[in-house]
């Protein structure tokens, strides 16, 4: 899977807003070249929620374990939720566990946000392409459900 494959797949889901910051945008320089996916049917960047998935192409401060400074290396980060995290890794997000965060084509606990139910895949390939698509769809469904619950509970 390439970054473009992932962006195309997620962007094709109904109500997804995809941000791909680039030079000249109003987004921080560190985010340039990465992708951020929100459930936002009105097309407005939400100010009170995190993206449900991201693609990062470089190390961020405090998040160097995946060694994204290697050539042609990126990581897909997916807020899969507690249930899917547990199903995929055989442990709950809160349980401590060592993660070899720089191994390619393997579903891992996110090296920073794993305890919050985030999973990640460095350079998804043949072993993880189907799982990555499934996880992205799960994260999308969860984000959409959260959005709809908030909308249903908002006073009119």
């Amino acid at each position: 899977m390439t970054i473009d494959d992932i962006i195309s797949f997620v962007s094709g889901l109904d109500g997804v807003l995809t941000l791909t910051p680039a030079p000249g945008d109003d987004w921080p320089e560190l985010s340039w070249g990465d992708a951020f996916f929100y459930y936002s049917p009105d097309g407005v960047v939400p100010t009170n929620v995190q993206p449900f998935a991201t693609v990062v192409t470089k190390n961020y401060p405090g998040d160097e374990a995946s060694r994204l400074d290697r050539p042609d290396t990126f990581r897909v980060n997916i807020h899969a939720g507690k249930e899917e995290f547990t199903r995929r890794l055989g442990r709950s997000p809160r349980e401590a566990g060592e993660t070899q965060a720089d191994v390619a084509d393997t579903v891992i606990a996110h090296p920073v946000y794993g305890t919050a139910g985030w999973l990640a895949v460095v350079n998804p390939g043949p072993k993880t392409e189907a799982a990555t698509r499934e996880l992205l769809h799960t994260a999308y469904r969860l984000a959409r459900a959260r959005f709809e619950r908030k909308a249903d509970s908002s006073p009119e």
Side-chain angles (χ1 to χ4, degrees):
M1 287 184 97
T2 66
I3 294 171
D4 289 339
D5 292 336
I6 294 162
I7 291 171
S8 177
F9 173 74
V10 180
S11 296
L13 299 170
D14 185 50
V16 170
L17 172 65
T18 301
L19 291 180
T20 53
D25 290 345
D26 291 335
W27 306 105
E29 184 175 345
L30 181 61
S31 67
W32 296 352
D34 296 340
F36 304 85
F37 305 102
Y38 296 89
Y39 182 75
S40 180
D42 62 4
V44 176
V45 179
T47 57
N48 58 346
V49 298
Q50 295 294 317
F52 67 84
T54 65
V55 177
V56 294
T57 59
K58 66 194 80 59
N59 292 329
Y60 276 68
D63 184 7
E64 297 90 12
S66 294
R67 298 180 29 235
L68 300 177
D69 52 351
R70 295 174 288 168
D72 302 316
T73 302
F74 68 93
R75 186 180 68 214
V76 183
N77 305 306
I78 307 164
H79 187 220
K82 180 182 176 181
E83 185 177 305
E84 190 63 22
F85 183 103
T86 302
R87 189 174 84 74
R88 296 281 175 169
L89 299 185
R91 64 178 175 90
S92 78
R94 296 279 181 207
E95 291 178 281
E98 290 296 314
T99 296
Q100 191 170 356
D102 62 348
V103 175
D105 202 16
T106 303
V107 176
I108 60 169
H110 187 285
V112 176
Y113 301 111
T115 57
W118 282 76
L119 294 170
V121 182
V122 175
N123 288 9
K127 290 185 345 189
T128 58
E129 181 172 358
T132 300
R133 289 179 189 275
E134 290 168 15
L135 289 166
L136 287 165
H137 200 264
T138 296
Y140 162 78
R141 283 194 329 268
L142 292 171
R144 183 175 179 158
R146 280 189 300 274
F147 178 91
E148 290 171 352
R149 277 193 308 275
K150 285 183 183 178
D152 289 345
S153 67
S154 295
E156 294 188 34

